C-alpha cells in the first residue's frame, strides 16, 4: 500500500510534539555544556550521527538518531564506549527538558545530538575569540530499533572517515587520501568545504578514539585555524615515522617532534589545489572567515537528510 512505511525505506516518525523555540534552544545548549561532556565528545557524536549520510542513495544522516541503535552504535569509527556514555548524558538533558511540562515543547534525541554539536562549536569559537551562532532547525524524529534493518544498515559502516582521521587499512578499498575524496563526495561537499571541515575537526580534537594525529595546535578544543597555520609553517620539517602510514613534523632547529600526521593531513599541504585553499585559512587575520566557513559547512552536513527543509524552500 502506498501509505505503508516499509523497513527498507528507513522510516523515521514525524514528531507530533510542539517543537522547541529560541529560548528553549538556548536553555538546552546551556544544559548540554553543563553536563560535563567535552567539546570533542559532543562534536564526535554529532558527526557520527549526521556524517553517516550517503548522497549516493540518500541513506544515513542524523534524522532518526540511529547512531543510538544497532548497528551504528557499535561501529568502530564511532568509539562505542564513549558514544554510549555521551548518549546517556544527552538523554538525561532531553528527558529533563521533556519532563518539565506535559503540554510544552519537546525535543527528540536526534535533535539533542545535533544541538550538542552546535553548542560545543559555539563555545569553541568563543574560546578562539569569534562569536558565532550555529544554525539549528528542530524537527528530527527518533526511529526505533524495530524500524531499523540491521543487516541493511551494516552496509553503511564507513571503513574510513578522514574528517575524524579514521582509517581501517584492512577493509578500506582505497588509500586514505582517496577515501577522503570519496567521503566528501558522499556528503556533497565542495573542495573548500571539505578543507575547512578537516581543519576545524582537527582543531576541535574530534579525531576518532581521541587520536592526536593532525591536531596541529596547543589548544585542542578551540575552533582556531591552527591546523592550517602549522601545516604551512616552514620551520617544521616532515618525515616518515617508524610507524607505517604516519609522519612526524620536526622543529628544524631543535629536531624535536612537534606533531604527527596521516597522509590525509599532509595532502592539504602537498596537493596544489588543496594547498591554495588551505593558505586562505592560514593567514593571521583569517580566524573569523575560517570559523564562519566551518559553521556553514558543518550546518550543511547536519542538514543533509532534512528533506523536509529542502521541500519548504
Amino acid at each position: 500500500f502506498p501509505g505503508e512505511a516499509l523497513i527498507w525505506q528507513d522510516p523515521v516518525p514525524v514528531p507530533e510534539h510542539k517543537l522547541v523555540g529560541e529560548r528553549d534552544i538556548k536553555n538546552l545548549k546551556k544544559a548540554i555544556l553543563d553536563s560535563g561532556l567535552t567539546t570533542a565528545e559532543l562534536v564526535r557524536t554529532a558527526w557520527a550521527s549526521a556524517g553517516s549520510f550517503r548522497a549516493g542513495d540518500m541513506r544515513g544522516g542524523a534524522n532518526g538518531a540511529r547512531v543510538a541503535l544497532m548497528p551504528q552504535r557499535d561501529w568502530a569509527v564511532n568509539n562505542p564506549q564513549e558514544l554510549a556514555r555521551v548518549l546517556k548524558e544527552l538523554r538525561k538533558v532531553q528527558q529533563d527538558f521533556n519532563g518539565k511540562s506535559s503540554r510544552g515543547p519537546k525535543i527528540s534525541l536526534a535533535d539533542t545530538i545535533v544541538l550538542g554539536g552546535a553548542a560545543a562549536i559555539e563555545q569553541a569559537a568563543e574560546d578562539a575569540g569569534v562569536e558565532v551562532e550555529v544554525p539549528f532547525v528542530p524537527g528530527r524524529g527518533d526511529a526505533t530499533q524495530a524500524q531499523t534493518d540491521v543487516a541493511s544498515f551494516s552496509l553503511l559502516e564507513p571503513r574510513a572517515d578522514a574528517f575524524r582521521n579514521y582509517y581501517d587499512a584492512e577493509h578500506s578499498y582505497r588509500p586514505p587520501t582517496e577515501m577522503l575524496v570519496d567521503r566528501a563526495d558522499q556528503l556533497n561537499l565542495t573542495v573548500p568545504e571539505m578543507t575547512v571541515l578537516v581543519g576545524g575537526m582537527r582543531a576541535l580534537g574530534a579525531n576518532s578514539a581521541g587520536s592526536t594525529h593532525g591536531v596541529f595546535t596547543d589548544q585542542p578544543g578551540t575552533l582556531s585555524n591552527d591546523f592550517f597555520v602549522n601545516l604551512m609553517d616552514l620551520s617544521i620539517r616532515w618525515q616518515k615515522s617508524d610507524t607505517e602510514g604516519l609522519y612526524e613534523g620536526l622543529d628544524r632547529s631543535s629536531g624535536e617532534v612537534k606533531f604527527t600526521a596521516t597522509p590525509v593531513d599532509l595532502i592539504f599541504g602537498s596537493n596544489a589545489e588543496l594547498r591554495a585553499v588551505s593558505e586562505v585559512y592560514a593567514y593571521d587575520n583569517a580566524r573569523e572567515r575560517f570559523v564562519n566557513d566551518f559553521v556553514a559547512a558543518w550546518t550543511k552536513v547536519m542538514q543533509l537528510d532534512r528533506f523536509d527543509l529542502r521541500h519548504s524552500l
Side-chain angles (χ1 to χ4, degrees):
F1 300 99
E4 182 182 1
L6 303 174
I7 193 170
W8 61 265
Q9 296 174 305
D10 303 341
V12 177
V14 177
E16 297 180 355
H17 53 255
K18 180 181 178 182
L19 300 180
V20 292
E22 289 186 14
R23 180 178 295 181
D24 302 317
I25 291 171
K26 182 178 180 180
N27 291 335
L28 280 162
K29 284 179 180 177
K30 184 179 186 306
I32 291 171
L33 293 176
D34 289 344
S35 68
L37 295 173
T38 67
T39 293
E41 289 169 343
L42 290 168
V43 169
R44 273 195 291 265
T45 301
W47 185 269
S49 185
S52 62
F53 184 80
R54 300 196 314 187
D57 54 13
M58 302 295 183
R59 301 188 69 197
N63 199 5
R66 286 191 164 91
V67 73
L69 304 174
M70 291 287 290
Q72 292 187 40
R73 70 186 187 193
D74 287 340
W75 287 350
V77 66
N78 291 341
N79 308 133
Q81 290 186 336
E82 176 187 281
L83 178 63
R85 178 171 51 80
V86 173
L87 290 176
K88 181 180 179 181
E89 294 301 321
L90 291 178
R91 279 195 180 97
K92 286 182 182 178
V93 172
Q94 176 205 11
Q95 292 167 359
D96 287 346
F97 177 83
N98 289 349
K100 289 180 180 179
S101 172
S102 59
R103 297 183 179 180
K106 301 288 190 293
I107 189 168
S108 64
L109 178 61
D111 273 342
T112 306
I113 291 170
V114 173
L115 188 60
I121 288 169
E122 289 174 359
Q123 182 62 60
E126 183 179 328
D127 292 342
V130 180
E131 185 175 344
V132 69
E133 181 176 350
V134 179
F136 172 78
V137 182
R140 297 170 183 84
D142 292 334
T144 65
Q145 191 65 65
Q147 294 171 321
T148 305
D149 186 336
V150 174
S152 176
F153 267 95
S154 293
L155 300 176
L156 272 67
E157 181 177 0
R159 300 304 181 181
D161 183 353
F163 297 95
R164 285 179 283 176
N165 227 347
Y166 174 82
Y167 183 72
D168 182 348
E170 183 179 354
H171 297 101
S172 292
Y173 52 87
R174 294 288 185 185
T177 52
E178 293 184 23
M179 293 297 284
L180 162 67
V181 175
D182 180 76
R183 193 82 207 107
D185 183 58
Q186 289 288 4
L187 294 174
N188 278 337
L189 296 173
T190 65
V191 170
E193 288 171 340
M194 177 185 75
T195 303
V196 76
L197 277 171
V198 168
M201 294 281 278
R202 297 293 188 275
L204 292 169
N207 282 345
S208 179
S211 163
T212 59
H213 304 317
V215 183
F216 305 152
T217 178
D218 296 328
Q219 295 180 305
T222 300
L223 190 54
S224 70
N225 61 339
D226 286 357
F227 173 85
F228 301 107
V229 172
N230 288 306
L231 182 62
M232 302 297 152
D233 191 345
L234 295 180
S235 70
I236 298 176
R237 176 175 62 85
W238 290 96
Q239 67 178 24
K240 285 187 176 181
S241 167
D242 292 335
T243 303
E244 185 177 356
L246 290 180
Y247 297 83
E248 296 174 336
L250 282 66
D251 184 290
R252 289 186 184 274
S253 299
S254 67
E256 176 190 0
V257 176
K258 298 191 66 175
F259 304 111
T260 57
T262 66
V264 167
D265 301 312
L266 298 188
I267 195 68
F268 290 94
S270 61
N271 177 274
E273 183 178 5
L274 296 179
R275 185 181 181 91
V277 178
S278 297
E279 286 177 347
V280 171
Y281 296 121
Y283 287 104
D284 289 339
N285 61 352
R287 286 190 307 168
E288 189 169 345
R289 176 175 182 175
F290 162 74
V291 169
N292 288 329
D293 287 357
F294 177 85
V295 167
W298 172 272
T299 303
K300 178 178 179 177
V301 173
M302 294 299 116
Q303 295 182 351
L304 282 172
D305 67 341
R306 290 299 303 272
F307 308 115
D308 54 323
L309 298 183
R310 299 183 194 183
H311 295 159
S312 66
L313 294 177

